[in-house]
């Protein structure tokens, strides 16, 4: 499902590299993930675990590299006033399909704890909008992830979107 995004992101990784520059697209992706995780005011272990699994899968990072990326992404997210600085960078670098896959990644992190809040919905809606991902594609990705997670109410709540 995320094959093309994974290939793109894997191509960005430097071997053995543990320092991530602020302009590194991996930092932007991590910062967005952190902002979405924090949007409801609760960052749970299940969300952290999902983030770790997905990033290690996508980037092939070892523990030290992952921790360095989390630290850099957290610092970037805490300094940001909105999503724009990250989405504008990624919008230039990702294909349309990769942008949709990124939205899917955000939904995976949201659903990792088995719950989805209105604040998380709003954060992903804004990010998707800034990336140029349509509401239809955003909802389809949410339903896809919710279906894999066994959340039966993914489609029922879409009436307002």
């Amino acid at each position: 499902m995320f094959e093309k995004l994974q290939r793109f992101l894997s191509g960005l990784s430097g071997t053995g590299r543990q320092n991530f520059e602020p302009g590194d697209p991996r930092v932007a992706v991590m910062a967005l993930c952190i902002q979405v995780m924090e949007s409801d005011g609760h960052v749970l272990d299940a969300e952290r675990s999902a983030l770790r699994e997905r990033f290690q899968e996508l980037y092939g990072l070892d523990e030290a590299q992952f921790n360095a990326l989390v630290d850099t992404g957290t610092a970037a997210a805490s300094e940001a006033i909105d999503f724009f600085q990250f989405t504008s960078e990624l919008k230039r670098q990702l294909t349309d399909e990769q942008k949709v896959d990124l939205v899917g990644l955000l939904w995976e992190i949201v659903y990792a704890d088995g719950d989805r809040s209105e604040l998380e919905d709003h954060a992903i809606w804004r990010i998707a909008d800034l990336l140029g991902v349509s509401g239809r594609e955003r909802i389809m990705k949410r339903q896809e992830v919710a279906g894999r997670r066994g959340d039966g109410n993914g489609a029922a709540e879409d009436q307002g979107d």
Side-chain angles (χ1 to χ4, degrees):
M1 168 175 64
F2 291 105
E3 296 85 18
K4 289 185 181 181
L5 179 62
Q6 184 173 3
R7 281 195 303 271
F8 172 78
L9 295 175
S10 296
L12 297 174
S13 62
T15 36
R17 183 172 159 189
Q18 291 188 18
N19 296 320
F20 298 92
E21 300 299 321
D24 189 322
R26 295 172 293 177
V27 173
V29 172
M30 178 61 78
L32 289 174
C33 290
I34 289 168
Q35 287 178 318
V36 167
M37 283 179 17
E38 293 176 343
S39 65
D40 66 354
H42 308 287
V43 179
L44 302 175
D45 288 340
E47 292 170 320
R48 287 186 189 104
S49 179
L51 181 71
R52 177 178 309 282
E53 288 173 23
R54 292 301 293 141
F55 268 74
Q56 288 179 330
E57 179 184 322
L58 289 170
Y59 297 120
L61 302 174
D62 63 27
E63 195 70 21
Q65 291 169 319
F66 174 77
N67 290 334
L69 182 56
V70 168
D71 291 344
T72 306
T74 301
S78 68
E79 294 172 6
I81 57 172
D82 59 15
F83 304 123
F84 183 76
Q85 76 182 65
F86 306 119
T87 57
S88 63
E89 179 181 321
L90 293 171
K91 190 172 183 176
R92 289 189 303 269
Q93 297 180 29
L94 300 178
T95 66
D96 290 342
E97 189 174 345
Q98 289 168 331
K99 293 171 195 170
V100 173
D101 286 344
L102 174 55
V103 170
L105 171 64
L106 297 173
W107 283 124
E108 285 192 35
I109 292 167
V110 164
Y111 276 104
D113 64 358
D115 192 24
R116 165 183 129 226
S117 78
E118 187 176 308
L119 296 168
E120 292 167 325
D121 270 347
H122 181 74
I124 294 179
W125 170 75
R126 289 292 306 137
I127 292 167
D129 188 52
L130 289 167
L131 287 171
V133 173
S134 73
R136 180 179 180 277
E137 292 168 312
R138 175 179 48 86
I139 291 167
M140 287 177 60
K141 279 296 181 185
R142 183 180 78 210
Q143 290 173 341
E144 181 182 308
V145 172
R148 282 197 316 270
R149 298 277 181 185
D151 179 18
N153 66 7
E157 296 179 26
D158 294 331
Q159 306 307 323
D161 279 335

